[in-house]
Coordinates of all heavy atoms in Angstrom, one line a residue:
G21 N 92.9 -43.2 91.5 CA 93.9 -42.5 92.3 C 95.3 -42.6 91.6 O 95.5 -43.5 90.8
V22 N 96.1 -41.6 91.9 CA 97.5 -41.6 91.5 C 98.4 -41.5 92.7 O 98.5 -40.5 93.3 CB 97.9 -40.4 90.5 CG1 99.3 -40.5 90.1 CG2 97.0 -40.5 89.3
A23 N 98.9 -42.7 93.1 CA 99.6 -42.8 94.4 C 101.1 -42.5 94.2 O 101.7 -42.9 93.2 CB 99.4 -44.1 95.0
I24 N 101.7 -41.8 95.1 CA 103.2 -41.7 95.1 C 103.7 -42.7 96.1 O 103.4 -42.7 97.3 CB 103.6 -40.3 95.6 CG1 103.0 -39.2 94.7 CG2 105.1 -40.2 95.7 CD1 103.1 -37.8 95.2
T25 N 104.5 -43.7 95.6 CA 105.0 -44.8 96.4 C 106.5 -44.8 96.6 O 107.0 -45.6 97.4 CB 104.6 -46.1 95.8 OG1 105.1 -46.2 94.5 CG2 103.0 -46.2 95.7
G26 N 107.2 -43.9 96.0 CA 108.6 -43.8 96.1 C 109.2 -42.4 95.8 O 108.6 -41.8 94.9
M27 N 110.3 -42.0 96.4 CA 110.9 -40.7 96.1 C 112.4 -40.9 96.2 O 112.9 -41.6 97.0 CB 110.4 -39.7 97.1 CG 109.0 -39.4 97.1 SD 108.5 -37.9 98.1 CE 109.1 -38.3 99.7
G28 N 113.1 -40.1 95.4 CA 114.6 -40.1 95.4 C 115.0 -38.7 95.1 O 114.4 -38.0 94.3
I29 N 116.1 -38.3 95.7 CA 116.6 -36.9 95.5 C 118.0 -36.7 95.9 O 118.6 -37.4 96.8 CB 115.7 -35.9 96.4 CG1 116.1 -34.4 96.1 CG2 115.9 -36.2 97.9 CD1 115.2 -33.4 96.8
I30 N 118.8 -35.9 95.1 CA 120.1 -35.5 95.5 C 120.2 -34.0 95.2 O 119.8 -33.5 94.1 CB 121.2 -36.3 94.7 CG1 122.6 -35.8 95.1 CG2 121.0 -36.3 93.2 CD1 123.6 -36.8 94.6
S31 N 120.6 -33.2 96.1 CA 120.7 -31.8 96.0 C 121.8 -31.2 96.8 O 122.6 -32.0 97.4 CB 119.4 -31.1 96.4 OG 119.3 -31.1 97.8
S32 N 122.0 -29.9 96.8 CA 123.1 -29.3 97.6 C 122.9 -29.4 99.1 O 123.8 -29.1 99.8 CB 123.2 -27.8 97.2 OG 122.0 -27.1 97.5
I33 N 121.6 -29.8 99.5 CA 121.4 -30.0 101.0 C 121.3 -31.4 101.4 O 121.0 -31.7 102.5 CB 120.2 -29.1 101.5 CG1 118.9 -29.6 100.8 CG2 120.4 -27.7 101.2 CD1 117.7 -29.1 101.4
G34 N 121.5 -32.3 100.5 CA 121.5 -33.7 100.9 C 121.5 -34.7 99.7 O 121.2 -34.4 98.6
N35 N 122.1 -35.9 100.0 CA 122.3 -36.9 99.0 C 121.2 -37.9 98.9 O 121.2 -38.8 98.1 CB 123.6 -37.6 99.2 CG 124.8 -36.6 99.2 OD1 124.9 -35.8 98.4 ND2 125.7 -36.8 100.2
N36 N 120.2 -37.7 99.7 CA 119.0 -38.6 99.7 C 117.8 -37.9 100.4 O 118.0 -36.8 100.8 CB 119.3 -40.0 100.4 CG 119.9 -39.8 101.7 OD1 119.4 -39.0 102.6 ND2 121.0 -40.5 102.0
V37 N 116.7 -38.6 100.4 CA 115.5 -37.9 101.0 C 115.7 -37.5 102.5 O 115.3 -36.4 102.9 CB 114.3 -38.9 100.9 CG1 113.1 -38.3 101.6 CG2 113.9 -39.1 99.4
E38 N 116.3 -38.5 103.2 CA 116.5 -38.2 104.6 C 117.4 -37.0 104.9 O 117.1 -36.2 105.8 CB 117.0 -39.5 105.4 CG 116.1 -40.7 105.4 CD 116.0 -41.4 104.0 OE1 116.8 -41.1 103.2 OE2 115.0 -42.2 103.8
E39 N 118.5 -37.0 104.2 CA 119.4 -35.8 104.4 C 118.7 -34.5 104.0 O 118.9 -33.4 104.6 CB 120.7 -36.1 103.6 CG 121.5 -37.1 104.2 CD 122.9 -37.3 103.4 OE1 123.1 -36.5 102.5 OE2 123.5 -38.3 103.6
N40 N 118.0 -34.5 102.9 CA 117.3 -33.3 102.5 C 116.3 -32.8 103.5 O 116.3 -31.6 103.9 CB 116.6 -33.5 101.1 CG 117.4 -33.2 99.9 OD1 117.4 -32.2 99.3 ND2 118.3 -34.2 99.6
Y41 N 115.6 -33.8 104.1 CA 114.5 -33.4 105.1 C 115.2 -32.8 106.3 O 114.8 -31.8 106.9 CB 113.6 -34.6 105.5 CG 112.6 -34.3 106.5 CD1 111.6 -33.3 106.3 CD2 112.7 -34.8 107.8 CE1 110.7 -33.0 107.2 CE2 111.8 -34.4 108.8 CZ 110.8 -33.6 108.5 OH 109.9 -33.2 109.4
R42 N 116.3 -33.4 106.7 CA 117.0 -33.0 108.0 C 117.5 -31.5 107.7 O 117.4 -30.7 108.6 CB 118.2 -33.9 108.2 CG 118.8 -33.6 109.6 CD 119.9 -34.6 109.9 NE 119.5 -36.0 109.6 CZ 120.2 -36.8 108.8 NH1 121.2 -36.3 108.1 NH2 119.8 -38.0 108.6
S43 N 118.0 -31.2 106.5 CA 118.5 -29.9 106.3 C 117.3 -28.9 106.3 O 117.5 -27.7 106.7 CB 119.2 -29.8 104.9 OG 120.4 -30.5 104.9
L44 N 116.2 -29.3 105.7 CA 115.0 -28.4 105.7 C 114.5 -28.0 107.1 O 114.2 -26.9 107.4 CB 113.8 -29.1 104.9 CG 114.0 -29.2 103.4 CD1 113.0 -30.2 102.9 CD2 113.9 -27.8 102.7
I45 N 114.5 -29.0 108.0 CA 113.9 -28.7 109.3 C 115.0 -28.0 110.2 O 114.7 -27.3 111.2 CB 113.4 -29.9 110.0 CG1 114.4 -31.0 110.2 CG2 112.2 -30.5 109.2 CD1 114.0 -32.2 111.1
E46 N 116.2 -28.1 109.8 CA 117.3 -27.5 110.6 C 117.7 -26.1 110.0 O 118.5 -25.4 110.5 CB 118.5 -28.4 110.6 CG 118.4 -29.7 111.4 CD 119.6 -30.6 111.4 OE1 120.6 -30.2 110.6 OE2 119.6 -31.6 112.1
G47 N 117.1 -25.8 108.9 CA 117.3 -24.5 108.3 C 118.7 -24.4 107.7 O 119.4 -23.3 107.7
K48 N 119.2 -25.5 107.2 CA 120.6 -25.6 106.6 C 120.6 -25.3 105.1 O 120.0 -26.1 104.4 CB 121.2 -26.9 106.9 CG 122.6 -27.2 106.4 CD 123.0 -28.6 106.6 CE 124.4 -28.9 106.0 NZ 124.8 -30.3 106.2
T49 N 121.2 -24.3 104.7 CA 121.2 -23.9 103.3 C 122.5 -24.6 102.6 O 123.4 -24.9 103.2 CB 121.3 -22.4 103.1 OG1 121.4 -22.1 101.6 CG2 122.6 -21.8 103.7
G50 N 122.3 -24.8 101.3 CA 123.4 -25.4 100.5 C 124.0 -24.4 99.6 O 124.8 -24.8 98.7
I51 N 123.7 -23.1 99.8 CA 124.2 -22.1 98.9 C 125.7 -21.7 99.3 O 125.9 -21.3 100.5 CB 123.3 -20.9 98.9 CG1 121.9 -21.3 98.6 CG2 123.8 -19.8 98.0 CD1 121.7 -21.9 97.3
T52 N 126.6 -21.7 98.4 CA 128.0 -21.3 98.6 C 128.6 -20.6 97.4 O 127.9 -20.5 96.4 CB 128.8 -22.6 98.9 OG1 128.8 -23.5 97.7 CG2 128.3 -23.4 100.1

């Protein structure tokens, strides 16, 4: 198996995983 045990992200809709997910489910775009 190849397990995913950690994730990190920074994008226009969030500075971490939690912020990105919140924007995704709230339909919040980062396009300006």
Side-chain angles (χ1 to χ4, degrees):
V22 179
I24 300 170
T25 60
M27 301 191 299
I29 184 172
I30 180 169
S31 75
S32 62
I33 62 170
N35 302 315
N36 51 50
V37 172
E38 293 75 17
E39 289 181 11
N40 272 263
Y41 179 66
R42 194 178 309 123
S43 293
L44 288 168
I45 62 173
E46 291 176 358
K48 178 184 175 183
T49 182
I51 306 301
T52 60

